[in-house]
Amino acid sequence: MAKYWETHPDSIWLYDPNLPLAIVATVLYAIPMFIQFWQSVFKYKSYYFIVVFLGALLEVGGYAVRTASIKDESSIPLYAVSSSFIVVAPLFVGAGDYLLISRLCLRVLPSHHTHIFKIPVAKLTRIFVICDIVTLLVQVNGSGIAASNNWEGNTVKIGENVMVAGLAMQLATFSFFFLILAKFHLLTRRGVNEEAGRGWRGILVAVYFSSGMIIIRCIFRLAEFSRGIFGYPFTHEWMFYALEAVPMLPAIAVFCVWHPGKYFGASGGRSKRVLTEIPLVSSGSRV
């Protein structure tokens, strides 16, 4: 059987893209996007968490442009914009996870727990956000290089290699972040701050879940770009939706259920005041 790109030489797509699926994805991602905007800006005024809304916005933009690209399969700019938005969006969602780790440690752990794996807990967010920015720059560079010559010639392979490096960095960073999160969880079983409240458990569940979904997506993307544009993942749409679209939607939506603004408030946990509506737990509580 002839390949799609062989029978459709003018198409930038390597398979027959599904228009209804792209429209459904756009609508589904728009739901948590609007909820995140309302929660972060109006309900809780937790502007520090706006990064997850930005990630959702990029996802919506990516799938909306994908819809336009499917209607105009010969347009390289539409394809490039859609792919870039969808590839970069998880970095912003991941930044939301990173923003919460130091806040959780400082609010929940007893004051004598100042380091995790010899890293000061107060600096965890800063370290991971810096890694996230570097990863973002590498991936944007890779995408730009690949698209610089209309996705043709040697620049495509160079761009793919840069993308693979960026995705590998992202996966390594998130894997280490997951270890930090697990260590934090272990420490909470030994005791928590008397003023921690109960809300942190929901935030921990959300960060665990969101991080796990992003790791699944990172593994897929790393495998996809490692195989090249004519590899199985790049030429079969079901893998894109199953391992990119499906994991990232709940990775965002989980924060609509357990929004950090409800626990940390507008101050983002920097204030010593504990929200009065959150019941206190004893320091010996276990998760």
Side-chain angles (χ1 to χ4, degrees):
M1 179 183 286
K3 304 294 185 182
Y4 185 78
W5 66 84
E6 295 172 343
T7 57
H8 297 75
D10 294 331
S11 177
I12 188 66
W13 294 89
L14 298 177
Y15 48 72
D16 186 9
N18 190 305
L19 178 61
L21 269 180
I23 295 173
V24 169
T26 304
V27 173
L28 289 178
Y29 271 99
I31 296 171
M33 181 196 73
F34 284 119
I35 294 174
Q36 276 295 313
F37 182 75
W38 173 67
Q39 289 178 321
S40 297
V41 176
F42 296 106
K43 185 175 183 180
Y44 301 118
K45 293 182 172 57
S46 49
Y47 304 116
Y48 59 90
F49 206 63
I50 202 75
V51 288
V52 174
F53 160 73
L54 294 177
L57 181 63
L58 284 171
E59 295 280 11
V60 171
Y63 287 101
V65 178
R66 183 183 178 92
T67 300
S69 177
I70 293 172
K71 292 182 177 180
D72 184 6
E73 294 190 25
S74 63
S75 174
I76 293 174
L78 287 176
Y79 179 87
V81 170
S82 172
S83 298
S84 297
F85 279 9
I86 293 172
V87 166
V88 168
L91 290 165
F92 288 84
V93 182
D97 292 316
Y98 297 152
L99 285 170
L100 297 177
I101 187 62
S102 285
R103 288 172 167 84
L104 281 169
C105 290
L106 293 172
R107 176 67 72 89
V108 177
L109 294 178
S111 59
H112 62 273
H113 288 301
T114 59
H115 292 69
I116 293 181
F117 295 139
K118 298 184 178 180
I119 302 174
V121 295
K123 294 183 178 180
L124 285 171
T125 288
R126 187 183 311 169
I127 291 170
F128 283 113
V129 167
I130 289 173
C131 291
D132 203 44
I133 292 172
V134 172
T135 302
L136 171 64
L137 294 175
V138 172
Q139 292 190 29
V140 168
N141 245 344
S143 180
I145 293 170
S148 62
N149 193 31
N150 291 335
W151 293 84
E152 297 176 348
N154 293 332
T155 55
V156 174
K157 186 62 178 176
I158 295 172
E160 285 178 354
N161 290 338
V162 175
M163 284 292 297
V164 167
L167 288 164
M169 290 170 57
Q170 185 181 9
L171 180 58
T173 302
F174 247 104
S175 297
F176 183 59
F177 174 78
F178 212 80
L179 287 176
I180 294 284
L181 196 63
K183 181 64 175 179
F184 162 79
H185 193 178
L186 179 63
L187 291 174
T188 63
R189 292 182 175 275
R190 301 175 185 174
V192 299
N193 191 322
E194 289 183 350
E195 297 181 338
R198 291 179 184 170
W200 65 271
R201 290 183 176 85
I203 305 301
L204 179 61
V205 169
V207 176
Y208 260 132
F209 183 78
S210 178
S211 301
M213 292 296 100
I214 294 175
I215 288 175
I216 290 172
R217 176 264 176 193
C218 285
I219 293 172
F220 160 66
R221 282 299 196 176
L222 185 57
E224 179 188 42
F225 280 94
S226 296
R227 295 290 299 274
I229 61 172
F230 293 106
Y232 187 89
F234 252 117
T235 56
H236 291 78
E237 189 175 31
W238 74 266
M239 291 198 71
F240 168 79
Y241 280 103
L243 297 172
E244 168 69 49
V246 171
M248 287 309 304
L249 181 60
I252 296 169
V254 70
F255 288 114
C256 297
V257 179
W258 289 295
H259 194 284
K262 184 175 183 180
Y263 176 64
F264 291 118
S267 68
R270 298 182 186 280
S271 171
K272 295 295 183 182
R273 181 178 63 85
V274 178
L275 299 179
T276 56
E277 67 268 23
I278 302 176
L280 299 180
V281 295
S282 67
S283 61
S285 293
R286 294 181 177 272
V287 177

